Amino acid sequence: MLQPISTTFNTTANVEWLGGRHGTDDTDTATLDMSKFTSGTHYTPSADTGQPYSVFKSGVPLGRITASGLYAPWNKAAVDGSQVLAGFVVAETLFAPGTPKVNVALLWHGTVRAAKVPGGFVPADVTATNCLIRYV
């Protein structure tokens, strides 16, 4: 039997990478294939044993895997579809550790401060995209 729980989580999201509010009110939903993401790089693992929720970071660039339709980290050298930049994760998202798929909001149009994207990002490396992003 599932037991629903209620929790309050306060955090200050790092959105330095976001160049403005344009596009944040018209996002798409992206379902992440969590097996493709790295703990500590793309998300912060939970340290709370009482109500363990990990936090997926905002600003992570995503590509869509053609075969599954799920999203993975954007990778310019990939050949599975994730080499096509689909957008950026808009907001930090809580998820239970071990969850195979996580839904996030995808910024597919707007302004991004490339130098502030978590993990680093070079717009000149993007050779294929299906999003409308202006870099500043």
Side-chain angles (χ1 to χ4, degrees):
M1 176 190 313
L2 295 175
Q3 294 294 327
I5 62 170
S6 178
T7 185
T8 301
F9 182 82
N10 295 312
T11 184
T12 302
N14 181 357
V15 291
E16 289 180 310
W17 63 272
L18 194 56
R21 292 182 52 209
H22 179 77
T24 59
D25 61 344
D26 185 24
T27 60
D28 284 342
T29 299
T31 303
L32 307 179
D33 178 346
M34 292 305 293
S35 69
K36 306 290 185 186
F37 294 91
T38 305
S39 176
T41 300
H42 301 110
Y43 62 91
T44 304
S46 173
D48 183 354
T49 57
Q51 292 183 357
Y53 290 102
S54 297
V55 180
F56 200 89
K57 297 178 181 181
S58 72
V60 174
L62 300 177
R64 188 171 182 258
I65 302 167
T66 306
S68 66
L70 300 175
Y71 289 78
W74 171 76
N75 179 351
K76 68 179 180 180
V79 294
D80 63 357
S82 63
Q83 73 277 12
V84 178
L85 180 66
F88 297 81
V89 176
V90 174
E92 291 183 344
T93 304
L94 294 174
F95 67 96
T99 302
K101 299 176 187 173
V102 173
N103 289 331
V104 297
L106 178 71
L107 180 76
W108 61 272
H109 75 286
T111 305
V112 169
R113 291 185 180 107
K116 300 287 186 175
V117 171
F121 181 79
V122 179
D125 288 345
V126 178
T127 58
T129 184
N130 58 13
C131 58
L132 304 169
I133 302 294
R134 181 174 66 98
Y135 301 102
V136 294

